[in-house]
Amino acid sequence: MAPKSGDAIFASVDRVNAELFTLTYGAMVRQLLTDLEEVDEVNKQLDQMGYNIGVRLVDEFLAKSNVSRCVDFKETAEVIAKVGFKMFLGVTASVTNWDTEGTTCSLILEDNPLVDFVELPDTCQGLYYCNILSGIVRGALEMVSMKTEVTWLRDMLRGDDVFELQVKLLKQVPEEYPYKDDE
Amino acid sequence: MAAIYSLYIINKSGGLIFYKDYGSAGRMDTNDSLRLASLWHSMHAISQQLSPVSGCAGIELLQADTFDLHCFQSLTGNSSPLSTMPWIIRTKFFVVCEPGTVHMEALLKHIYELYTDYVLKNPFYEMEMPIRCELFDINLAQAVQKDRVALLAR
């Protein structure tokens, strides 16, 4: 079966009101801030929650998009940006800032429904409000045997013009059985 | 007459996490189904090594006189904790069916979609544990029923 485009999948899945989604996420972050008190702890918790979502979500992504194995990390990044983000978040990202080895790149989000009504107060300046997204990407990639490090380089809530998510490939486990004659 | 005899889902460690019987042929008790699941898990791994071509992902179809066994693997997987098996272990879905039953790949793909919807997205389902999700059962029964109707119509 041919791989589907992000738009095609987005059109076929069930959706909820965007504000319900945005407000629910906001309420969750607020509750975490109340419960954990430390901004750093909240960042960590959001990342962990995202990771737990990512390891499950990736199967749905693969089942519904008909995407098959990517040839390299470059293709993987493109698929995440164009199909993955569109399917689950309704927006597409662009991929830039490749390093020379092709192991580090940036996903640029110009539009992000998570932050529609959000203004960070002075007390939460260290908060990565969308840290759940980085966790999701990390968790999803880990399930397709890529260990990555995902960090926010730019954040619109901190005054930048876009969201920039840096994805760094640390380790890739070979997919197939390493064929050796002498064993 | 049942086209599909039974359906199995094996987790990444080779444990049976879902088993369903359809029709009378090939019915098994719990112990036998567990044994078959772990046997298939190992045979599947061995087949990857035995293949003369490198890059083999394992047996997809096993044909016998009295049944066909179609196996589908998820694309996701973990590297095995055993150093003797340094490759990726995936979740496997397989059906045992009447010889020559067609469209089993599509059915397995559909079952995979149901699994992502009603098992993985259930927040109370723990990964790698036996599947006890009513919504999955209901939707699976519908899918298999539809497949059976389609078969009778052909």
Side-chain angles (χ1 to χ4, degrees):
Chain A
M1 264 175 279
K4 289 189 201 164
S5 74
D7 289 306
I9 310 163
F10 187 64
S12 64
V13 293
D14 285 338
R15 271 159 287 167
V16 294
N17 184 297
E19 287 189 12
L20 175 69
F21 172 67
T22 309
L23 296 175
T24 309
Y25 185 71
M28 191 189 79
V29 176
R30 272 306 303 267
Q31 190 62 45
L32 283 176
L33 280 164
T34 313
D35 289 350
L36 299 170
E37 290 165 3
E38 297 282 329
V39 167
D40 288 340
E41 284 302 311
V42 176
N43 287 340
K44 246 187 252 167
Q45 192 62 35
L46 284 173
D47 182 74
Q48 184 59 41
M49 289 163 80
Y51 176 84
N52 292 343
I53 295 175
V55 295
R56 291 171 179 238
L57 214 58
V58 63
D59 268 305
E60 182 186 10
F61 169 71
L62 294 166
K64 296 195 176 157
S65 66
N66 295 329
V67 168
S68 54
R69 205 154 286 150
C70 292
V71 290
D72 55 11
F73 188 56
K74 283 206 161 138
E75 191 186 345
T76 309
E78 283 293 330
V79 167
I80 293 171
K82 297 286 171 323
V83 190
F85 271 91
K86 181 74 197 177
M87 179 171 167
F88 293 113
L89 209 55
V91 293
T92 52
S94 48
V95 187
T96 52
N97 296 348
W98 279 103
D99 68 346
T100 43
E101 293 98 57
T103 54
T104 307
C105 68
S106 288
L107 303 175
I108 308 277
L109 275 174
E110 282 171 30
D111 188 19
N112 182 351
L114 282 181
V115 299
D116 274 350
F117 315 108
V118 182
E119 292 171 38
L120 275 194
D122 292 339
T123 50
C124 302
Q125 285 308 312
L127 178 70
Y128 287 104
Y129 187 81
C130 302
N131 224 21
I132 203 159
L133 295 181
S134 56
I136 293 175
V137 172
R138 185 168 64 88
L141 284 174
E142 191 165 310
M143 292 305 281
V144 285
S145 49
M146 281 176 244
K147 278 250 186 245
T148 50
E149 193 178 270
V150 185
T151 41
W152 290 102
L153 291 188
R154 281 190 281 175
D155 190 326
M156 275 159 101
L157 293 180
R158 297 173 167 208
D160 297 314
D161 45 348
V162 288
F163 282 96
E164 178 171 353
L165 192 60
Q166 188 185 60
V167 185
K168 187 174 174 190
L169 180 67
L170 301 175
K171 190 177 150 210
Q172 190 161 11
V173 184
E175 285 274 314
E176 285 134 12
Y177 177 71
Y179 200 76
K180 287 187 206 120
D181 282 330
D182 54 350
E183 279 180 19
Chain B
M1 179 155 71
I4 302 166
Y5 295 149
S6 47
L7 165 73
Y8 298 76
I9 303 177
I10 328 182
N11 70 10
K12 297 181 181 91
S13 355
L16 184 67
I17 54 171
F18 188 84
Y19 170 64
K20 187 105 185 140
D21 242 322
Y22 300 95
S24 53
R27 187 167 291 232
M28 273 190 275
D29 64 26
T30 318
N31 278 333
D32 283 338
S33 60
L34 286 168
R35 201 170 301 129
L36 190 142
S38 52
L39 258 175
W40 180 253
H41 181 75
S42 329
M43 267 172 60
H44 196 271
I46 293 167
S47 75
Q48 291 178 21
Q49 292 180 60
L50 283 180
S51 163
V53 197
S54 75
C56 170
I59 310 176
E60 285 172 9
L61 168 62
L62 177 81
Q63 287 183 306
D65 286 348
T66 51
F67 69 91
D68 280 4
L69 191 155
H70 293 261
C71 183
F72 172 87
Q73 294 186 85
S74 68
L75 281 171
T76 57
N78 293 98
S79 50
S80 157
L82 299 173
S83 58
T84 48
M85 297 165 77
W87 63 92
I88 307 289
I89 309 286
R90 301 162 196 287
T91 310
K92 284 186 270 292
F93 299 72
F94 65 91
V95 286
V96 180
C97 60
E98 228 179 299
T101 315
V102 289
H103 298 302
M104 284 297 113
E105 288 78 20
L107 178 73
L108 282 169
K109 170 96 180 11
H110 185 61
I111 293 171
Y112 179 44
E113 276 181 41
L114 294 178
Y115 165 78
T116 63
D117 274 340
Y118 299 105
V119 179
L120 291 182
K121 277 199 266 182
N122 178 352
F124 296 104
Y125 171 71
E126 299 222 20
M127 300 282 278
E128 308 294 302
M129 295 305 277
I131 298 168
R132 289 195 191 89
C133 305
E134 204 178 327
L135 278 173
F136 179 66
D137 288 339
I138 294 168
N139 283 280
L140 181 68
Q142 275 173 4
V144 172
Q145 186 62 32
K146 236 169 102 184
D147 189 75
R148 214 170 271 178
V149 171
L151 186 95
L152 286 176
R154 276 194 291 270

